[in-house]
Amino acid sequence: MYNRRKFIKLSAAGASLAALSPSKFVQAAATAPAAQLPIVISTWDFGVFANKEAWKTLEKGGRALDAVEAGVRIPEADMKNHTVGRAGYPDRDGHVSLDACIMDEFGNCGSVAAIEHIAHPISVARLVMEKTPHVMLVGEGATQFAVEQGFKYEELLTPESEKAWKEWLKTAKYSPVMNIENKQHTPGNKYNHDTIGMLAIDAKGNISGACTTSGMAFKLHGRVGDSPIIGAGLYVDNEVGGATSTGVGEEVIRNVGSFLVVELMRQGLSPEDACKEAVKRIIKKKPDTAKNIQVGFLAINKKGEYGAFAIQPGFSFAVCNAEKQDLLVPGKSFY
Ligand code: ASP
């Protein structure tokens, strides 16, 4: 049974949504998951705003693929968001390097990893899917492809990100440690892993997903996490459902996390139980590591039932359909 400690209830019109910080919406309560389609769900508090954008496509009867691309472009463009898109914190050498992938109802998928100078990696990933015979482009090749497709080549390192990076350099001595960076720069938010993973089911019942991130702040140059890797950061099977992940990507990759969640749903587990089982595998494989990291999974099945589970408390996810816009916190975690 899906169990949540907190949820938010937003006005359907959402007129004041943009003016408010999502955390202000959190109130104690619990509800059963909605199955009304179309529906869109996404990771973390900023998923509220991303869902709202995706909903514009879904409510008109549009395709889930278009909805998820449009939705995740919102945090990608947000200058205050230092974990996704154009204002993402750089790697340890000062390069802003972004990862993203997208997957549709036909099993088509596209991905870019360690792409630099392009503000919307999700849209590049979509074009990799639609205009090339490949699934994944990385680094300079991904940037070159984006420029050829008409994307603007930009310096993405913002003065704020540069300042944070230079601060980090003073103490971290070029030795990135998972989570430490984010703990330093967001006091009070211990596990600030803020990839956006989004899953949508459109009015026709088709499922698509998108996932985009700047990855771990101050990572090694060239490091790629789970987020652009189909099966790890995102997986969709139109017969079963979809899953996405956030948190320390290395542990998700080791367990092919999102594919695992979808396969567990295929075997009959609810979305929440499938996410919980995937989290358990991560803990079982590396119990000492798992104590100090965050990984969260979010999933939806073909019926529109959704669920999430994370190693640590603090994970949130946003849900939007015709009935509601909620920000939810999984009810349990292992630590
Ligand atoms: N999963 C992302 C990565 O490892 C980071 C995150 O979600 O915080 O790159």
Side-chain angles (χ1 to χ4, degrees):
M1 195 60 191
Y2 193 58
N3 175 18
R4 284 156 289 180
R5 291 180 309 186
K6 295 174 179 175
F7 84 131
I8 61 157
K9 198 89 180 157
L10 305 177
S11 77
S16 59
L17 192 61
L20 297 170
S21 148
S23 58
K24 289 186 183 149
F25 299 134
V26 176
Q27 297 164 9
T31 55
Q36 185 176 327
L37 306 182
I39 187 167
V40 57
I41 61 174
S42 58
T43 53
W44 300 111
D45 291 16
F46 52 54
V48 172
F49 307 108
N51 286 357
K52 193 167 179 268
E53 187 64 25
W55 182 249
K56 289 180 191 165
T57 299
L58 294 174
E59 72 176 339
K60 288 187 293 203
R63 191 176 168 202
L65 182 71
D66 294 326
V68 295
E69 182 192 3
V72 303
R73 283 176 61 100
I74 296 298
E76 279 188 344
D78 183 353
M79 296 305 285
K80 292 205 171 70
N81 187 326
H82 297 300
T83 57
V84 177
R86 60 173 313 128
Y89 279 158
D91 64 23
R92 69 168 195 176
D93 297 340
H95 302 265
V96 178
S97 121
L98 306 175
D99 296 339
C101 73
I102 194 160
M103 191 161 188
D104 75 7
E105 69 270 32
F106 303 111
N108 298 315
C109 47
S111 159
V112 288
I115 187 172
E116 294 182 32
H117 301 292
I118 305 292
H120 285 294
I122 197 64
S123 297
V124 186
R126 181 164 178 178
L127 291 188
V128 171
M129 173 175 87
E130 292 179 341
K131 297 204 167 176
T132 81
H134 309 304
V135 165
M136 191 167 197
L137 294 179
V138 305
E140 281 177 21
T143 304
Q144 184 187 328
F145 171 75
V147 170
E148 283 166 10
Q149 293 299 320
F151 287 80
K152 191 172 165 201
Y153 183 99
E154 303 177 68
E155 178 50 73
L156 299 182
L157 188 66
T158 66
E160 207 182 343
S161 298
E162 188 171 11
K163 197 168 161 230
W165 168 57
K166 289 194 169 150
E167 265 311 299
W168 178 82
L169 286 179
K170 284 186 203 160
T171 52
K173 295 178 189 154
Y174 287 100
S175 169
V177 179
M178 298 306 173
N179 285 341
I180 296 293
E181 313 88 329
N182 289 330
K183 284 179 202 172
Q184 283 175 345
H185 292 289
T186 47
N189 190 353
K190 197 173 168 201
Y191 299 102
N192 185 19
H193 297 282
D194 291 352
T195 295
I196 184 151
M198 176 179 278
L199 302 159
I201 308 183
D202 61 31
K204 291 186 178 147
N206 288 324
I207 310 170
S208 289
C211 186
T212 176
T213 191
S214 54
M216 308 298 291
F218 320 124
K219 60 198 174 187
L220 285 178
H221 184 54
R223 181 264 187 188
V224 170
D226 58 321
S227 308
I229 298 179
I230 296 296
L234 176 74
Y235 195 70
V236 169
D237 182 320
N238 207 41
E239 286 180 3
V240 178
T244 189
S245 64
T246 182
V248 177
E250 283 73 5
E251 303 315 314
V252 178
I253 294 170
R254 276 188 243 283
N255 292 276
V256 199
S258 293
F259 181 73
L260 174 62
V261 171
V262 172
E263 289 307 301
L264 290 166
M265 290 195 292
R266 190 193 307 278
Q267 289 166 24
L269 265 62
S270 71
E272 185 186 355
D273 285 347
C275 292
K276 185 174 181 181
E277 179 58 30
V279 164
K280 266 193 205 164
R281 301 253 183 121
I282 287 174
I283 294 172
K284 194 173 171 202
K285 204 163 274 181
K286 290 197 174 285
D288 291 339
T289 306
K291 274 182 204 149
N292 298 310
I293 63 161
Q294 177 66 305
V295 171
F297 291 102
L298 174 65
I300 193 161
N301 66 18
K302 190 73 181 165
K303 290 185 269 183
E305 294 164 345
Y306 51 82
F309 209 88
I311 300 177
Q312 314 284 350
F315 179 42
S316 61
F317 65 100
V319 177
C320 174
N321 66 6
E323 291 175 327
K324 60 183 174 183
Q325 296 178 59
D326 286 348
L327 179 64
L328 305 162
V329 178
K332 293 163 280 185
S333 51
F334 285 108
Y335 295 104

